[in-house]
Amino acid sequence: MSAMNRRQFLKISSAAAAAATPLMAAKKASAAAAHVVVVGGGVGGATFAKYLRMYDPGTQVTLVQNEKDYQRRYGSSEVIVNHIADSALNISYDDLKNYYGVEFVFDTVTGIDFDKRQVRTQGGTTLNYDRVVLSPGITFDYSAVPGMTEELADTKIPHAWNAGPQLKLLRDQVNKLPIDGKVIIVPPPAPFRCPPGPYERAGLITQWMLERGDKNPSVTILDVNNNFPGDYNMVHLWNRFFGMNVPKDFTPFTQIKYTPEQLATLKTYDKPAKLQWIPGNQGGRVLKVDADTMTVEAEAGKFQADLINLIPPLKAGKIALDLGLADASGWCPVDPTTFESKMHPFVHVIGDSSLADPMPKSGYSANNQAKMVALQIKSLLAGNGVIEPIEMQNTCYVAAGPKNFSIFVTEFFREKDGKIIEGDQPPLLPFNASDEAYRLCRVYEESWIENFTHDTFYKPYWA
């Protein structure tokens, strides 16, 4: 899709949304209307429910969610370093209920009868459906890391990758770090939710320690991965601000390597870095963790810390695993044009749980998938077949570490020959980007979070 076509698409979509919106409060689905059940009220599920009601007000949409209020995951690392209060993450479902007419069942889904097309909940509710959309998020595979358990994550070595109590625990641990304390951050193997997130967190904690007066903080990333989205800019900034030598044979995620002229501008340090990244090809793969001694053993050696933030390998959400919607990868294979499960008909899986490579597992990806699937389901319910071609995008703004610096990653995706493929190389800030450009990205990041949240959960500003 050309840039002009994208603008036209957005313009048409906005006009359609504006035209449909006033119908929400007045038009309720009839008793004979098609019924779509949504499992999971995070970004994917909420966006889908909202947009299907906008696109097709006559369809009944019921969202099953086990929490009455949602706590957003994106941007949550800002809580850890006291940039925002944890209450800033709280989101209400009131607009989805009262303005868009989404019906809610606050309960836990325990099973789906695929033959009868029924969703069952723990509280005894049975919901018949014409289509069901699952956006159940993620689960954590603690068994993949020797020495790690769910109990340890809740009490001593939090991953804090799902907001909630663990996020507060990690914040408290950061606030209690001794001067020039040692922090270890362990990202999970790809693919995982918010792929730039662990690295953003490392930079934020390093900068927080420096701002409180630490002279020689030590933040070490022990990583099974060799690169990550945004590393082209991040590694450059870490070299400049945190004294980190660029890892040997470093090839950025985008495959856009530093030129010899650029490499010549990077510094080489003799003393330990304030933030050190050890990728997998340099021995960063973790072998085991010892919570009693607060030690992490990696291929590169043993590392002792005052704080360990270990994010275990991720898999699809529990209900998706329980229902057999995932394959051996731990994720749910889907048709790339409709995100209908390849395991069961009339079942769609969107967001983090879906196997939609090369799309990253991000809130923005889930939001885009949800809008596309809402259009597809509207067409399918009307007997009009699948809409083609399809296009989606992902955008992430990420705090880079140095105060008020942020970077961005943006990508476009489309379906081709039964697969999702990535468009042109994603744009990045140039190697020689000015400090003003990084600070402007920080302004954009704050606006992006606000508008993205509004688009997902709330009624229009003018309503």
Side-chain angles (χ1 to χ4, degrees), residues 76-101:
S76 62
S77 286
E78 301 277 359
V79 169
I80 295 167
V81 291
N82 306 306
H83 286 180
I84 60 174
D86 59 306
S87 59
L89 305 179
N90 296 339
I91 293 171
S92 170
Y93 290 122
D94 286 352
D95 281 1
L96 293 180
K97 289 187 290 185
N98 301 328
Y99 191 81
Y100 292 103

PDB file of all heavy atoms in Angstrom, residues 76-101:
ATOM      1  N   SER A  76       4.825   0.319  31.403  1.00  0.00           N
ATOM      2  CA  SER A  76       4.804   0.054  32.842  1.00  0.00           C
ATOM      3  C   SER A  76       6.177   0.154  33.504  1.00  0.00           C
ATOM      4  O   SER A  76       6.266   0.341  34.719  1.00  0.00           O
ATOM      5  CB  SER A  76       4.188  -1.323  33.121  1.00  0.00           C
ATOM      6  OG  SER A  76       4.957  -2.354  32.522  1.00  0.00           O
ATOM      7  N   SER A  77       7.255   0.032  32.737  1.00  0.00           N
ATOM      8  CA  SER A  77       8.582   0.134  33.345  1.00  0.00           C
ATOM      9  C   SER A  77       8.850   1.534  33.904  1.00  0.00           C
ATOM     10  O   SER A  77       9.749   1.716  34.730  1.00  0.00           O
ATOM     11  CB  SER A  77       9.669  -0.243  32.326  1.00  0.00           C
ATOM     12  OG  SER A  77       9.682  -1.640  32.116  1.00  0.00           O
ATOM     13  N   GLU A  78       8.072   2.508  33.460  1.00  0.00           N
ATOM     14  CA  GLU A  78       8.212   3.860  34.021  1.00  0.00           C
ATOM     15  C   GLU A  78       7.856   3.871  35.517  1.00  0.00           C
ATOM     16  O   GLU A  78       8.351   4.713  36.275  1.00  0.00           O
ATOM     17  CB  GLU A  78       7.300   4.830  33.269  1.00  0.00           C
ATOM     18  CG  GLU A  78       7.561   4.920  31.779  1.00  0.00           C
ATOM     19  CD  GLU A  78       8.681   5.864  31.415  1.00  0.00           C
ATOM     20  OE1 GLU A  78       9.267   6.481  32.325  1.00  0.00           O
ATOM     21  OE2 GLU A  78       8.980   5.984  30.207  1.00  0.00           O
ATOM     22  N   VAL A  79       7.013   2.924  35.931  1.00  0.00           N
ATOM     23  CA  VAL A  79       6.655   2.829  37.352  1.00  0.00           C
ATOM     24  C   VAL A  79       7.874   2.443  38.190  1.00  0.00           C
ATOM     25  O   VAL A  79       8.064   2.940  39.298  1.00  0.00           O
ATOM     26  CB  VAL A  79       5.522   1.799  37.549  1.00  0.00           C
ATOM     27  CG1 VAL A  79       5.304   1.486  39.034  1.00  0.00           C
ATOM     28  CG2 VAL A  79       4.234   2.300  36.919  1.00  0.00           C
ATOM     29  N   ILE A  80       8.706   1.558  37.643  1.00  0.00           N
ATOM     30  CA  ILE A  80       9.839   1.004  38.392  1.00  0.00           C
ATOM     31  C   ILE A  80      10.796   2.093  38.851  1.00  0.00           C
ATOM     32  O   ILE A  80      11.381   2.017  39.935  1.00  0.00           O
ATOM     33  CB  ILE A  80      10.580  -0.037  37.519  1.00  0.00           C
ATOM     34  CG1 ILE A  80       9.666  -1.228  37.230  1.00  0.00           C
ATOM     35  CG2 ILE A  80      11.857  -0.515  38.194  1.00  0.00           C
ATOM     36  CD1 ILE A  80      10.193  -2.128  36.131  1.00  0.00           C
ATOM     37  N   VAL A  81      10.961   3.125  38.016  1.00  0.00           N
ATOM     38  CA  VAL A  81      11.922   4.193  38.338  1.00  0.00           C
ATOM     39  C   VAL A  81      11.202   5.468  38.779  1.00  0.00           C
ATOM     40  O   VAL A  81      11.749   6.563  38.714  1.00  0.00           O
ATOM     41  CB  VAL A  81      12.848   4.466  37.144  1.00  0.00           C
ATOM     42  CG1 VAL A  81      13.777   3.283  36.915  1.00  0.00           C
ATOM     43  CG2 VAL A  81      12.054   4.757  35.870  1.00  0.00           C
ATOM     44  N   ASN A  82       9.939   5.315  39.189  1.00  0.00           N
ATOM     45  CA  ASN A  82       9.167   6.404  39.800  1.00  0.00           C
ATOM     46  C   ASN A  82       8.875   7.561  38.848  1.00  0.00           C
ATOM     47  O   ASN A  82       8.635   8.688  39.294  1.00  0.00           O
ATOM     48  CB  ASN A  82       9.890   6.942  41.053  1.00  0.00           C
ATOM     49  CG  ASN A  82      10.224   5.856  42.045  1.00  0.00           C
ATOM     50  OD1 ASN A  82       9.356   5.107  42.466  1.00  0.00           O
ATOM     51  ND2 ASN A  82      11.502   5.737  42.400  1.00  0.00           N
ATOM     52  N   HIS A  83       8.863   7.297  37.537  1.00  0.00           N
ATOM     53  CA  HIS A  83       8.478   8.343  36.597  1.00  0.00           C
ATOM     54  C   HIS A  83       6.978   8.577  36.636  1.00  0.00           C
ATOM     55  O   HIS A  83       6.517   9.695  36.422  1.00  0.00           O
ATOM     56  CB  HIS A  83       8.902   7.968  35.179  1.00  0.00           C
ATOM     57  CG  HIS A  83      10.370   8.101  34.935  1.00  0.00           C
ATOM     58  ND1 HIS A  83      10.956   7.810  33.720  1.00  0.00           N
ATOM     59  CD2 HIS A  83      11.383   8.498  35.739  1.00  0.00           C
ATOM     60  CE1 HIS A  83      12.272   8.014  33.797  1.00  0.00           C
ATOM     61  NE2 HIS A  83      12.549   8.417  35.013  1.00  0.00           N
ATOM     62  N   ILE A  84       6.222   7.504  36.881  1.00  0.00           N
ATOM     63  CA  ILE A  84       4.774   7.603  37.005  1.00  0.00           C
ATOM     64  C   ILE A  84       4.327   6.703  38.154  1.00  0.00           C
ATOM     65  O   ILE A  84       5.036   5.771  38.533  1.00  0.00           O
ATOM     66  CB  ILE A  84       4.038   7.194  35.712  1.00  0.00           C
ATOM     67  CG1 ILE A  84       4.365   5.739  35.334  1.00  0.00           C
ATOM     68  CG2 ILE A  84       4.363   8.134  34.569  1.00  0.00           C
ATOM     69  CD1 ILE A  84       3.559   5.201  34.148  1.00  0.00           C
ATOM     70  N   ALA A  85       3.153   7.000  38.708  1.00  0.00           N
ATOM     71  CA  ALA A  85       2.578   6.149  39.755  1.00  0.00           C
ATOM     72  C   ALA A  85       1.951   4.923  39.108  1.00  0.00           C
ATOM     73  O   ALA A  85       1.520   4.960  37.943  1.00  0.00           O
ATOM     74  CB  ALA A  85       1.535   6.915  40.543  1.00  0.00           C
ATOM     75  N   ASP A  86       1.898   3.816  39.843  1.00  0.00           N
ATOM     76  CA  ASP A  86       1.287   2.612  39.279  1.00  0.00           C
ATOM     77  C   ASP A  86      -0.192   2.837  38.967  1.00  0.00           C
ATOM     78  O   ASP A  86      -0.748   2.193  38.075  1.00  0.00           O
ATOM     79  CB  ASP A  86       1.486   1.410  40.208  1.00  0.00           C
ATOM     80  CG  ASP A  86       0.890   1.631  41.578  1.00  0.00           C
ATOM     81  OD1 ASP A  86       1.212   2.637  42.217  1.00  0.00           O
ATOM     82  OD2 ASP A  86       0.107   0.782  42.022  1.00  0.00           O
ATOM     83  N   SER A  87      -0.826   3.802  39.654  1.00  0.00           N
ATOM     84  CA  SER A  87      -2.237   4.093  39.379  1.00  0.00           C
ATOM     85  C   SER A  87      -2.429   4.674  37.979  1.00  0.00           C
ATOM     86  O   SER A  87      -3.531   4.607  37.420  1.00  0.00           O
ATOM     87  CB  SER A  87      -2.791   5.072  40.422  1.00  0.00           C
ATOM     88  OG  SER A  87      -2.056   6.291  40.420  1.00  0.00           O
ATOM     89  N   ALA A  88      -1.352   5.220  37.394  1.00  0.00           N
ATOM     90  CA  ALA A  88      -1.450   5.775  36.041  1.00  0.00           C
ATOM     91  C   ALA A  88      -1.676   4.691  34.995  1.00  0.00           C
ATOM     92  O   ALA A  88      -2.058   4.987  33.864  1.00  0.00           O
ATOM     93  CB  ALA A  88      -0.185   6.562  35.710  1.00  0.00           C
ATOM     94  N   LEU A  89      -1.444   3.451  35.367  1.00  0.00           N
ATOM     95  CA  LEU A  89      -1.637   2.332  34.438  1.00  0.00           C
ATOM     96  C   LEU A  89      -3.072   1.833  34.413  1.00  0.00           C
ATOM     97  O   LEU A  89      -3.448   1.071  33.525  1.00  0.00           O
ATOM     98  CB  LEU A  89      -0.713   1.159  34.823  1.00  0.00           C
ATOM     99  CG  LEU A  89       0.781   1.438  34.943  1.00  0.00           C
ATOM    100  CD1 LEU A  89       1.508   0.162  35.365  1.00  0.00           C
ATOM    101  CD2 LEU A  89       1.356   1.970  33.641  1.00  0.00           C
ATOM    102  N   ASN A  90      -3.884   2.240  35.388  1.00  0.00           N
ATOM    103  CA  ASN A  90      -5.236   1.699  35.529  1.00  0.00           C
ATOM    104  C   ASN A  90      -6.177   2.246  34.456  1.00  0.00           C
ATOM    105  O   ASN A  90      -6.201   3.455  34.179  1.00  0.00           O
ATOM    106  CB  ASN A  90      -5.797   2.016  36.908  1.00  0.00           C
ATOM    107  CG  ASN A  90      -4.998   1.344  38.013  1.00  0.00           C
ATOM    108  OD1 ASN A  90      -4.294   0.360  37.770  1.00  0.00           O
ATOM    109  ND2 ASN A  90      -5.083   1.868  39.224  1.00  0.00           N
ATOM    110  N   ILE A  91      -6.959   1.357  33.862  1.00  0.00           N
ATOM    111  CA  ILE A  91      -7.864   1.713  32.774  1.00  0.00           C
ATOM    112  C   ILE A  91      -9.246   1.152  33.073  1.00  0.00           C
ATOM    113  O   ILE A  91      -9.390   0.018  33.507  1.00  0.00           O
ATOM    114  CB  ILE A  91      -7.346   1.156  31.435  1.00  0.00           C
ATOM    115  CG1 ILE A  91      -6.043   1.874  31.046  1.00  0.00           C
ATOM    116  CG2 ILE A  91      -8.380   1.291  30.327  1.00  0.00           C
ATOM    117  CD1 ILE A  91      -5.341   1.268  29.863  1.00  0.00           C
ATOM    118  N   SER A  92     -10.268   1.969  32.819  1.00  0.00           N
ATOM    119  CA  SER A  92     -11.650   1.550  33.055  1.00  0.00           C
ATOM    120  C   SER A  92     -12.279   1.004  31.780  1.00  0.00           C
ATOM    121  O   SER A  92     -11.953   1.433  30.667  1.00  0.00           O
ATOM    122  CB  SER A  92     -12.471   2.748  33.556  1.00  0.00           C
ATOM    123  OG  SER A  92     -13.856   2.437  33.564  1.00  0.00           O
ATOM    124  N   TYR A  93     -13.206   0.060  31.941  1.00  0.00           N
ATOM    125  CA  TYR A  93     -13.967  -0.478  30.819  1.00  0.00           C
ATOM    126  C   TYR A  93     -15.293   0.261  30.608  1.00  0.00           C
ATOM    127  O   TYR A  93     -16.119  -0.150  29.787  1.00  0.00           O
ATOM    128  CB  TYR A  93     -14.267  -1.962  31.053  1.00  0.00           C
ATOM    129  CG  TYR A  93     -13.068  -2.872  30.960  1.00  0.00           C
ATOM    130  CD1 TYR A  93     -12.702  -3.674  32.042  1.00  0.00           C
ATOM    131  CD2 TYR A  93     -12.318  -2.961  29.797  1.00  0.00           C
ATOM    132  CE1 TYR A  93     -11.613  -4.539  31.962  1.00  0.00           C
ATOM    133  CE2 TYR A  93     -11.230  -3.812  29.702  1.00  0.00           C
ATOM    134  CZ  TYR A  93     -10.883  -4.595  30.785  1.00  0.00           C
ATOM    135  OH  TYR A  93      -9.803  -5.447  30.701  1.00  0.00           O
ATOM    136  N   ASP A  94     -15.518   1.340  31.363  1.00  0.00           N
ATOM    137  CA  ASP A  94     -16.830   1.996  31.345  1.00  0.00           C
ATOM    138  C   ASP A  94     -17.245   2.447  29.955  1.00  0.00           C
ATOM    139  O   ASP A  94     -18.414   2.289  29.560  1.00  0.00           O
ATOM    140  CB  ASP A  94     -16.840   3.186  32.304  1.00  0.00           C
ATOM    141  CG  ASP A  94     -16.893   2.763  33.771  1.00  0.00           C
ATOM    142  OD1 ASP A  94     -17.081   1.551  34.020  1.00  0.00           O
ATOM    143  OD2 ASP A  94     -16.733   3.626  34.642  1.00  0.00           O
ATOM    144  N   ASP A  95     -16.323   3.023  29.184  1.00  0.00           N
ATOM    145  CA  ASP A  95     -16.702   3.516  27.852  1.00  0.00           C
ATOM    146  C   ASP A  95     -17.050   2.366  26.908  1.00  0.00           C
ATOM    147  O   ASP A  95     -17.954   2.487  26.081  1.00  0.00           O
ATOM    148  CB  ASP A  95     -15.570   4.351  27.253  1.00  0.00           C
ATOM    149  CG  ASP A  95     -15.527   5.762  27.825  1.00  0.00           C
ATOM    150  OD1 ASP A  95     -16.369   6.073  28.689  1.00  0.00           O
ATOM    151  OD2 ASP A  95     -14.643   6.541  27.429  1.00  0.00           O
ATOM    152  N   LEU A  96     -16.330   1.269  27.029  1.00  0.00           N
ATOM    153  CA  LEU A  96     -16.655   0.115  26.183  1.00  0.00           C
ATOM    154  C   LEU A  96     -18.062  -0.386  26.485  1.00  0.00           C
ATOM    155  O   LEU A  96     -18.814  -0.771  25.583  1.00  0.00           O
ATOM    156  CB  LEU A  96     -15.641  -1.009  26.390  1.00  0.00           C
ATOM    157  CG  LEU A  96     -14.205  -0.745  25.930  1.00  0.00           C
ATOM    158  CD1 LEU A  96     -13.332  -1.967  26.200  1.00  0.00           C
ATOM    159  CD2 LEU A  96     -14.157  -0.379  24.456  1.00  0.00           C
ATOM    160  N   LYS A  97     -18.421  -0.385  27.769  1.00  0.00           N
ATOM    161  CA  LYS A  97     -19.749  -0.848  28.173  1.00  0.00           C
ATOM    162  C   LYS A  97     -20.833   0.163  27.818  1.00  0.00           C
ATOM    163  O   LYS A  97     -21.845  -0.176  27.183  1.00  0.00           O
ATOM    164  CB  LYS A  97     -19.779  -1.116  29.686  1.00  0.00           C
ATOM    165  CG  LYS A  97     -19.001  -2.332  30.122  1.00  0.00           C
ATOM    166  CD  LYS A  97     -19.213  -2.633  31.607  1.00  0.00           C
ATOM    167  CE  LYS A  97     -18.548  -1.582  32.486  1.00  0.00           C
ATOM    168  NZ  LYS A  97     -18.647  -1.935  33.932  1.00  0.00           N
ATOM    169  N   ASN A  98     -20.637   1.398  28.261  1.00  0.00           N
ATOM    170  CA  ASN A  98     -21.717   2.388  28.220  1.00  0.00           C
ATOM    171  C   ASN A  98     -21.824   3.129  26.896  1.00  0.00           C
ATOM    172  O   ASN A  98     -22.919   3.576  26.521  1.00  0.00           O
ATOM    173  CB  ASN A  98     -21.537   3.399  29.352  1.00  0.00           C
ATOM    174  CG  ASN A  98     -21.530   2.738  30.721  1.00  0.00           C
ATOM    175  OD1 ASN A  98     -22.189   1.727  30.925  1.00  0.00           O
ATOM    176  ND2 ASN A  98     -20.768   3.294  31.654  1.00  0.00           N
ATOM    177  N   TYR A  99     -20.728   3.299  26.201  1.00  0.00           N
ATOM    178  CA  TYR A  99     -20.767   4.065  24.953  1.00  0.00           C
ATOM    179  C   TYR A  99     -20.837   3.163  23.723  1.00  0.00           C
ATOM    180  O   TYR A  99     -21.588   3.439  22.787  1.00  0.00           O
ATOM    181  CB  TYR A  99     -19.533   4.967  24.860  1.00  0.00           C
ATOM    182  CG  TYR A  99     -19.622   5.984  23.746  1.00  0.00           C
ATOM    183  CD1 TYR A  99     -20.338   7.165  23.905  1.00  0.00           C
ATOM    184  CD2 TYR A  99     -19.004   5.753  22.523  1.00  0.00           C
ATOM    185  CE1 TYR A  99     -20.432   8.103  22.879  1.00  0.00           C
ATOM    186  CE2 TYR A  99     -19.089   6.678  21.495  1.00  0.00           C
ATOM    187  CZ  TYR A  99     -19.802   7.851  21.673  1.00  0.00           C
ATOM    188  OH  TYR A  99     -19.903   8.769  20.648  1.00  0.00           O
ATOM    189  N   TYR A 100     -20.083   2.064  23.750  1.00  0.00           N
ATOM    190  CA  TYR A 100     -20.038   1.193  22.577  1.00  0.00           C
ATOM    191  C   TYR A 100     -20.958  -0.024  22.696  1.00  0.00           C
ATOM    192  O   TYR A 100     -21.134  -0.755  21.728  1.00  0.00           O
ATOM    193  CB  TYR A 100     -18.601   0.737  22.314  1.00  0.00           C
ATOM    194  CG  TYR A 100     -17.717   1.877  21.883  1.00  0.00           C
ATOM    195  CD1 TYR A 100     -16.823   2.456  22.768  1.00  0.00           C
ATOM    196  CD2 TYR A 100     -17.809   2.396  20.594  1.00  0.00           C
ATOM    197  CE1 TYR A 100     -16.029   3.520  22.384  1.00  0.00           C
ATOM    198  CE2 TYR A 100     -17.015   3.465  20.207  1.00  0.00           C
ATOM    199  CZ  TYR A 100     -16.125   4.032  21.102  1.00  0.00           C
ATOM    200  OH  TYR A 100     -15.356   5.095  20.711  1.00  0.00           O
ATOM    201  N   GLY A 101     -21.521  -0.244  23.863  1.00  0.00           N
ATOM    202  CA  GLY A 101     -22.481  -1.332  24.004  1.00  0.00           C
ATOM    203  C   GLY A 101     -21.874  -2.711  24.075  1.00  0.00           C
ATOM    204  O   GLY A 101     -22.539  -3.710  23.780  1.00  0.00           O
TER     205      GLY A 101
END
